[in-house]
């Protein structure tokens, strides 16, 4: 449900008569809501149980998503998407803390599978355009919301996995290093389908399918996590991954259509390897892993969300411009992460 609106976004823009330059506001509204609740969620989870807070978040996310089809205007759609972000913010770091508690000796593998699950779900979301073509976009986005709400109720019945309430301040530096790459990937995941529809002239359904190649990397998430646990030179993952993504970004505008899925997969798996390494490194140094994940996510969201509407504005000026921006952002994260590694004297 993070990305299931991406393939139907062109239809939403047409129905509400919204200029494509403002398309990035919808994913930005979601991220604003998610950023607000990340750090409070880590504290509430430590006190009341990370699994229970994750369940509450999933319930809010599901109900707000199920209500999206009732939006009478673009403004209401933005508001409900922001509320959905609040639910996602309550869920994300607390669910990660639960997985870390279950796999304390294999944190990389646990978070690798977490990212894998996230990406596999997003992969399905990118094909939601085909469902929308069959039953309409309003009905199509209501169904996952109802399922999410039901799953949230099940999580609320958890045992209550608690940790220390301390806040991981050392995670701040990881968030500052990773936000450019995070922002680049979030913008690409939400708006590549729209870009392909507008500038490559392909149908919305096919555009969403091509965009889903970024999420195929989710099937390799467990492998990436195990790789982190076993590889001694983790610097290769932390610095090499964003450099590889930058090459993919800068090639997309001039690439033949049949090559684009490969390039999309390239930046997807590169980010998967990078963010799993960042999450694992930061959470291992924290007494409350949820707070480490939360701080990184808050900085990523608060600072990285702006690149979504920057992408949508730039593509109305020059088709290649947004991809040049994303490439520069990935390289900035590679350079920043190199500084962090040397400053903290790790790896």
């Amino acid at each position: 449900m993070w990305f299931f609106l991406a393939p139907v976004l062109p239809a939403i823009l047409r129905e509400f008569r919204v200029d494509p330059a403002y398309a990035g506001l919808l994913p930005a509204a979601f991220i604003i809501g998610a950023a607000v609740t990340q750090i409070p969620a880590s504290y509430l989870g430590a006190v009341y149980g990370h699994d229970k807070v994750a369940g509450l978040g999933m319930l809010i996310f599901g109900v707000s998503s199920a209500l999206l089809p009732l939006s009478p205007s673009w403004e209401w759609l933005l508001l409900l998407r922001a509320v959905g972000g609040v639910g996602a913010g309550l869920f994300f770091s607390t669910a990660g803390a639960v997985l870390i508690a279950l796999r304390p000796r294999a944190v990389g593998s646990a978070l690798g599978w977490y990212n894998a699950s996230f990406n596999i779900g997003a992969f399905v979301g990118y094909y939601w355009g085909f469902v929308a073509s069959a039953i309409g976009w309003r009905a199509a986005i209501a169904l996952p919301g109802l399922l999410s709400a039901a799953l949230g109720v099940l999580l609320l019945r958890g045992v209550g996995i608690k940790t220390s309430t301390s806040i991981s301040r050392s995670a701040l530096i990881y968030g500052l290093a990773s936000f450019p790459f995070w922002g680049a990937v979030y913008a690409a995941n939400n708006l590549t389908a729209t870009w392909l529809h507008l500038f490559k002239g392909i149908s919305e359904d096919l555009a969403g399918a091509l965009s889903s190649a970024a999420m195929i990397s989710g099937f390799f998430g467990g492998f990436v996590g195990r790789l982190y646990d076993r590889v001694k030179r983790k610097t290769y993952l932390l610095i090499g991954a964003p450099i590889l993504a930058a090459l993919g970004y800068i090639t997309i505008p001039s690439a033949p259509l049949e090559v684009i899925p490969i390039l999309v997969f390239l930046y997807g798996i590169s980010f998967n390897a990078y963010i799993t390494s960042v999450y694992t490194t930061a959470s291992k140094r924290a007494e409350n892993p949820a707070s480490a994940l939360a701080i990184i996510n808050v900085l990523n969201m608060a600072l990285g969300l702006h690149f979504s509407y920057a992408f949508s504005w730039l593509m109305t000026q020059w088709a290649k411009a947004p991809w040049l921006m994303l490439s520069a952002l990935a390289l900035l994260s590679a350079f920043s992460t190199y500084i962090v590694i040397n400053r903290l004297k790790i790896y």
Side-chain angles (χ1 to χ4, degrees), residues 55-75:
L56 176 62
M58 186 64 79
L59 179 62
I60 294 172
F61 196 5
V63 171
S64 63
S65 297
L67 291 175
L68 282 172
L70 302 179
S71 300
S73 66
W74 173 251
E75 289 75 20

Side-chain angles (χ1 to χ4, degrees), residues 202-263:
I202 62 178
S203 68
E204 296 162 9
D205 294 344
L206 180 58
L210 293 178
S211 299
S212 72
M215 298 306 160
I216 296 177
S217 64
F219 293 94
F220 301 91
F223 168 76
V224 168
R226 288 196 299 272
L227 192 64
Y228 177 92
D229 286 332
R230 297 179 182 180
V231 170
K232 294 182 179 179
R233 300 286 295 184
K234 296 178 175 59
T235 303
Y236 296 147
L237 291 174
L238 288 163
I239 299 176
I243 293 175
L244 193 62
L247 295 175
Y249 286 137
I250 204 168
T251 307
I252 284 177
S254 56
L257 191 61
E258 59 270 18
V259 176
I260 287 179
I262 299 174
L263 297 173

Side-chain angles (χ1 to χ4, degrees), residues 21-330:
Y22 299 103
L25 291 178
L26 193 60
F30 176 78
I31 288 301
I32 290 171
V36 168
T37 49
Q38 286 281 311
I39 294 177
S42 70
Y43 176 80
L44 292 172
V47 174
Y48 299 105
H50 291 295
D51 47 350
K52 292 183 178 294
V53 174
L56 176 62
M58 186 64 79
L59 179 62
I60 294 172
F61 196 5
V63 171
S64 63
S65 297
L67 291 175
L68 282 172
L70 302 179
S71 300
S73 66
W74 173 251
E75 289 75 20
W76 271 100
L77 201 69
L78 292 175
L79 177 61
L80 286 171
R81 194 58 174 159
V83 173
V86 168
L90 289 171
F91 175 84
F92 193 78
S93 63
T94 50
V98 172
L99 293 175
I100 291 170
L102 294 174
R103 298 289 299 277
R105 296 183 180 180
V107 175
S109 295
L111 294 180
W113 281 115
Y114 188 32
N115 286 330
S117 300
F118 177 86
N119 286 346
I120 291 169
F123 176 82
V124 175
Y126 275 117
Y127 284 85
W128 224 241
F130 292 102
V131 178
S133 295
I135 63 176
W137 71 265
R138 293 180 182 270
I141 63 178
L143 295 176
L146 295 174
L147 175 59
S148 174
L151 292 172
V153 172
L154 291 177
L155 287 172
L156 280 169
R157 301 172 61 187
V159 297
I161 297 176
K162 302 176 183 179
T163 60
S164 167
T165 58
S166 64
I167 299 297
S168 177
R169 294 179 178 84
S170 64
L172 177 67
I173 194 168
Y174 295 103
L176 291 174
S178 60
F179 89 82
F181 193 14
W182 185 96
V185 169
Y186 186 71
N189 285 343
N190 278 288
L191 297 167
T192 294
T194 300
W195 186 90
L196 289 172
H197 175 66
L198 294 175
F199 297 103
K200 293 293 185 178
I202 62 178
S203 68
E204 296 162 9
D205 294 344
L206 180 58
L210 293 178
S211 299
S212 72
M215 298 306 160
I216 296 177
S217 64
F219 293 94
F220 301 91
F223 168 76
V224 168
R226 288 196 299 272
L227 192 64
Y228 177 92
D229 286 332
R230 297 179 182 180
V231 170
K232 294 182 179 179
R233 300 286 295 184
K234 296 178 175 59
T235 303
Y236 296 147
L237 291 174
L238 288 163
I239 299 176
I243 293 175
L244 193 62
L247 295 175
Y249 286 137
I250 204 168
T251 307
I252 284 177
S254 56
L257 191 61
E258 59 270 18
V259 176
I260 287 179
I262 299 174
L263 297 173
V264 173
F265 172 81
L266 180 66
Y267 75 66
I269 197 167
S270 297
F271 181 72
N272 196 351
Y274 175 79
I275 202 63
T276 296
S277 301
V278 169
Y279 282 158
T280 306
T281 303
S283 61
K284 280 186 172 182
R285 300 168 62 94
E287 293 182 10
N288 180 1
S291 72
L293 298 177
I295 289 173
I296 292 171
N297 286 339
V298 166
L299 288 171
N300 284 343
M301 292 174 180
L303 300 176
L305 69 88
H306 307 288
F307 303 122
S308 289
Y309 45 81
F311 185 108
S312 60
W313 181 81
L314 285 171
M315 74 179 179
T316 63
Q317 308 303 309
W318 181 37
K320 294 183 179 180
W323 299 105
L324 294 175
M325 178 189 72
L326 300 191
S327 181
L329 291 172

